[in-house]
Amino acid sequence: MIRRETRERIVGIDWLELFVSEEYNRDYSADGFRSRGFSVIERDYGTKTMAEMFTILDNYGHPFIEVRRAPRGLDSGAGKTVYQLGDSYIKLANMYCYDADPVGLLLQFVDREKYYIKKIYRIDLFTDFEIFDSGDKPTNVIRRIVNHTYSKINQSHRRTSGEDTWTECTDNWISWGKQGSMVSTKIYDKTKEIRETGFNKPYIVENWRRAGYIDDVVNITREGKPVQMWRIEFSIKGNGILISLVLLKVDVIVLLYSDSFNALIDCLLSISLLSRVLPRS
C-alpha cells in the first residue's frame, strides 16, 4: 500500500517554447549574443523555415536557451512564407524547465533581450506518479486499452509500444494524437526511459527523490526496492493552448503559475483521459 501522505504530487513543464519578434536595430545573431557576453554554440545549418539555429549557454556551460531565427524566403518574392522579418522561436533548455521558476527565467530573458512575445508556440505539461489515484496500475490501464476493454473518447489516433518475451508481454508506452494535433497525450514508463538513455537527465530523478517516491537516485529504489515511475504528458501547440485557456478562463502567463498550473493539469487529466468500457462482442 502506497503511503500517499508522504509523497508530493509532481507536476511540471518539460517543454516551453515561445514564438517572438525581435526588436528593430538589435543584433539577435549568435555573434550579437556573444557581443553581449553570452557563450553560444551554433549549428552549421538551420531548419526548413529558419536559416539560423544556436544554443545560448549558462555560466557553467550548460544549454540555457535554444534559438531558431532568420526566416527563410522573405526575399524570394514568392509570398509563401507565413513569417515576418524578425520572427523567431526561443525555447528554454530542458534542464531549466525543471527549475523552481522556469517561466520566470524565460520571461527575464525575453525582457532583457527586448523580445516581443507573439504567442506560446508549444508547452509540454506532465505529472509523474507510481499508480493512479484510484489505486490502478498504469500497466493494467494500458493493457485494457490494448485489449479493447477500454476506449478513449477523444484523440482517436492511438499508438502503443511494448516488449514481448518468452514469459510475458508488457506495454510501457501509449499515445494519442497525431504529429500535427493541437493536443497530444502520452502515458509511458519514465523509469525505463531514464535507464535506457543513460541517466542523462539526473534532475528528473532528483525530483522524484524530493517528492518522496525514491530514496536512491542511482538505482531508483525506495527502501531497497525498485520503483517504477510513470509519466502522463500533454503536448499543447498553437490553438490547443488557447482552448485550454478558455476552459480555465485564465491569462496566457498566469496559467503557468501555482494554482492555475495545477488546475490546468487536473483539467487536462479529466478531459484527455476520458474513456468508456467497450461492450463485449
Side-chain angles (χ1 to χ4, degrees):
M1 183 70 180
I2 290 185
R3 297 170 301 194
R4 290 196 172 277
E5 66 274 9
T6 65
R7 317 258 157 74
E8 296 180 7
R9 185 175 185 181
I10 302 176
V11 296
I13 298 171
D14 190 71
W15 188 298
L16 182 57
E17 185 172 1
L18 302 178
F19 181 48
V20 299
S21 180
E22 303 167 347
E23 185 180 69
Y24 182 69
N25 274 346
R26 184 178 178 87
D27 189 356
Y28 289 92
S29 67
D31 286 338
F33 280 103
R34 291 190 183 102
S35 71
R36 294 193 288 277
F38 290 99
S39 296
V40 181
I41 297 178
E42 292 182 77
R43 200 166 81 166
D44 293 335
Y45 51 93
T47 67
K48 185 178 180 179
T49 58
M50 295 290 171
E52 299 177 16
M53 184 172 180
F54 52 86
T55 301
I56 299 171
L57 308 180
D58 64 12
N59 293 333
Y60 302 97
H62 300 132
F64 174 44
I65 299 288
E66 298 170 16
V67 179
R68 290 179 288 135
R69 65 177 303 276
R72 298 183 187 274
L74 290 180
D75 300 326
S76 66
K80 294 182 179 180
T81 180
V82 297
Y83 297 106
Q84 299 176 342
L85 184 65
D87 285 349
S88 63
Y89 297 91
I90 56 173
K91 174 179 173 288
L92 191 65
N94 187 253
M95 182 179 75
Y96 278 99
C97 286
Y98 290 80
D99 185 84
D101 185 14
V103 178
L105 285 175
L106 188 55
L107 292 182
Q108 286 175 16
F109 178 81
V110 166
D111 184 61
R112 184 172 63 244
E113 293 302 319
K114 304 185 187 305
Y115 283 107
Y116 169 76
I117 300 177
K118 288 192 166 184
K119 67 178 180 179
I120 302 175
Y121 175 69
R122 173 180 167 183
I123 181 170
D124 289 5
L125 309 175
F126 73 88
T127 179
D128 287 347
F129 64 105
E130 265 188 288
I131 63 173
F132 286 104
D133 291 343
S134 64
D136 213 349
K137 294 182 179 180
T139 49
N140 294 339
V141 172
I142 295 175
R143 186 176 299 114
R144 293 186 196 113
I145 294 171
V146 172
N147 292 339
H148 299 169
T149 303
Y150 285 176
S151 172
K152 198 167 182 299
I153 291 176
N154 49 31
Q155 292 178 306
S156 58
H157 187 81
R158 171 172 57 84
R159 292 178 295 163
T160 58
S161 176
E163 296 178 350
D164 292 351
T165 66
W166 284 105
T167 57
E168 63 177 351
C169 299
T170 58
D171 299 292
N172 48 51
W173 184 90
I174 187 168
S175 73
W176 294 270
K178 299 180 181 180
Q179 185 174 2
S181 299
M182 291 187 297
V183 181
S184 59
T185 307
K186 286 193 297 186
I187 305 176
Y188 61 102
D189 185 344
K190 193 65 179 179
T191 301
K192 176 180 173 63
E193 182 189 77
I194 290 290
R195 292 186 186 282
E196 289 181 348
T197 54
F199 288 81
N200 63 344
K201 295 180 179 179
Y203 42 88
I204 294 179
V205 181
E206 178 59 23
N207 265 356
W208 298 345
R209 186 194 66 78
R210 290 177 180 175
Y213 285 92
I214 64 174
D215 52 32
D216 184 340
V217 297
V218 176
N219 298 301
I220 311 183
T221 57
R222 181 177 65 248
E223 298 176 354
K225 298 180 180 179
V227 174
Q228 188 177 26
M229 293 295 293
W230 289 79
R231 172 168 291 193
I232 299 177
E233 189 171 285
F234 306 98
S235 182
I236 315 173
K237 304 174 185 176
N239 290 334
I241 297 173
L242 297 178
I243 291 171
S244 301
L245 295 179
V246 170
L247 291 171
L248 285 176
K249 298 180 181 178
V250 297
D251 182 76
V252 173
I253 299 302
V254 173
L255 84 93
L256 301 175
Y257 286 100
S258 61
D259 294 339
S260 294
F261 182 72
N262 289 327
L264 180 57
I265 286 287
D266 287 333
C267 180
L268 289 168
L269 284 171
S270 62
I271 293 176
S272 291
L273 298 184
L274 283 174
S275 62
R276 63 189 177 100
V277 178
L278 292 174
R280 293 182 180 275
S281 57

